Amino acid sequence: MTGATGAGPGAAGDVAAGWSPDPLLAGHEVRTLAGWWPASGGPSWPAVRAGGAAPVLTLVRPVETPAAPRGVVVHLHGYNDYYFQSHLADAVRDAGWAFLALDARRAGRSHRPGDVPHYQGDLREQASDLTRAVAAARSLWPGLPVVVHAHSTGGLVAALWAHAHRVRGGADAVVLNSPFLSVERSWVTPLQDQALRPLARTAPLRVVSAAPSRYAGRMRERWEFDTDLKRPDGVPVRAGWLAAVRRGQRRVASGLEIGVPLLVARSARSGADLVEGADLDSVDTVLDVATIAALGPGLGTDVRELVVDGGVHDLALSHDEPRGVYLDALGRFLAEVAGAGAPRRMNA
């Protein structure tokens, strides 16, 4: 990432100061940093600038943290999402680790007037936010291992980021919670896929899909979150965003070389995003888990699989039993990273 405007993607800045109480979550505090842009004139520049000027990213951390943490977990959300899962931070703290969440540009706490919600015209935009968050974690807790925990589209970004940083500057381990690795068996047809590239250059904000998120609506029945930041009515999918995602997914399909321990977690089954039905509470209604199973082993040299029976798309939002299975496996994985040892393959 050369020729950037604004703060460099690897610069943490003075993140020890400038924290303030989080208006959304009790017992948390936030810190906002300026985001990075790729140099103007590049091939993705028209799609990138369409999202809005002067992007920011927001770091969120619990006030209560272990006195002597064993490491730091950096959490990245997915599309139409933001950090509100305080029970995830609690589970990480119970495992003896510090926790730092990232609300990436144009999402959650980082959305600003004029921004196109959740949009990125190049996945390097959100990847640079992740770089800043990991650098901040290393600055706040020097000398400790850092594990990136990422969900859905954030999981796609984190996988590509970990591959790009496999030599230096990356994490010590990565956890992908239902990563968006492919559009196989989805509404995106091969013909639409071919049309995306020119459309992203000429009309990046063209809406190519718009529908309510029944998944988000169902989650709102069981979890408390801000429906302006995670919308049951959905966030329109735009050509520039989908073209950037498809570029990243094609790179994943060719295989990555992530060199650190990698836990790829998914539900046992997929199902339709229906208005009603028990499956809404026990399967992934957003992604096809078979493609995650097929592509996961090709992400790196040390990949472990976690299959959670009864899990929903965000495994951390599942019902009590599957959520407990996921969080317990996460704790064992963190223990392994910290040097305590755990099974290499974790099927649940």
Side-chain angles (χ1 to χ4, degrees):
M1 298 180 182
T2 57
T5 60
D14 181 11
V15 294
W19 294 83
S20 59
D22 182 13
L24 299 182
L25 280 178
H28 286 68
E29 52 189 6
V30 296
R31 175 78 159 89
T32 300
L33 302 173
W36 167 90
W37 268 16
S40 60
S44 63
W45 177 244
V48 169
R49 69 179 177 182
V56 301
L57 59 127
T58 306
L59 304 178
V60 192
R61 67 181 183 184
V63 173
E64 183 180 345
T65 194
R70 307 178 73 187
V72 190
V73 170
V74 175
H75 169 72
L76 174 60
H77 57 82
Y79 190 75
N80 189 22
D81 205 358
Y82 73 106
Y83 169 63
F84 64 90
Q85 305 91 333
S86 58
H87 61 278
L88 175 62
D90 292 342
V92 168
R93 184 183 66 244
D94 291 345
W97 286 58
F99 183 85
L100 185 68
L102 164 65
D103 274 9
R105 61 188 63 198
R106 309 185 186 104
R109 300 162 180 82
S110 299
H111 184 268
R112 296 292 184 270
D115 283 349
V116 179
H118 300 277
Y119 178 88
Q120 50 182 327
D122 187 322
L123 295 188
R124 294 181 303 164
E125 292 188 77
Q126 200 170 94
S128 72
D129 294 347
L130 182 56
T131 299
R132 299 289 301 284
V134 169
R138 294 200 186 279
S139 176
L140 291 167
W141 294 279
L144 297 182
V146 173
V147 173
V148 167
H149 176 277
H151 171 58
S152 198
T153 305
L156 171 64
V157 170
L160 295 166
W161 174 88
H163 171 81
H165 290 80
R166 61 193 180 277
V167 175
R168 64 175 184 175
D172 296 283
V174 177
V175 179
L176 303 181
N177 170 1
S178 304
F180 185 26
L181 301 180
S182 173
V183 294
E184 287 291 325
R185 305 179 192 179
S186 78
W187 56 270
V188 181
T189 68
L191 183 61
Q192 290 171 322
D193 208 14
Q194 292 176 13
L196 278 173
R197 284 178 243 186
L199 194 59
R201 290 192 297 270
T202 60
L205 296 185
R206 176 79 59 84
V207 174
V208 295
S209 177
S213 173
R214 298 186 182 96
Y215 164 74
R218 187 69 163 199
M219 292 302 99
R220 186 61 183 87
E221 295 176 12
R222 298 197 288 109
W223 298 95
E224 186 173 335
F225 54 79
D226 189 323
T227 54
D228 288 330
L229 304 182
K230 183 178 179 68
R231 302 180 181 180
D233 58 348
V235 175
V237 174
R238 301 180 184 273
W241 178 88
L242 187 55
V245 165
R246 290 299 295 130
R247 284 195 300 272
Q249 291 176 339
R250 285 191 290 270
R251 180 65 188 88
V252 165
S254 66
L256 303 183
E257 298 174 1
I258 299 172
V260 298
L262 174 63
L263 178 62
V264 181
R266 60 177 174 86
S267 176
R269 295 186 298 129
S270 291
D273 191 16
L274 301 174
V275 177
E276 295 295 341
D279 273 1
L280 284 173
D281 294 323
S282 61
V283 304
D284 190 329
T285 58
V286 178
L287 299 181
D288 174 43
V289 298
T291 61
I292 300 174
L295 292 169
L299 295 177
T301 57
D302 185 6
V303 180
R304 306 97 186 278
E305 180 185 43
L306 173 66
V307 181
V308 180
D309 191 21
V312 296
H313 177 52
D314 185 345
L315 296 167
L317 297 183
S318 302
H319 274 304
D320 292 352
E321 184 175 349
R323 183 174 74 252
V325 167
Y326 177 65
L327 295 178
D328 286 348
L330 174 61
R332 297 198 306 272
F333 184 74
L334 294 177
E336 180 180 356
V337 175
R344 288 181 57 81
R345 183 179 178 85
M346 296 181 242
N347 283 319

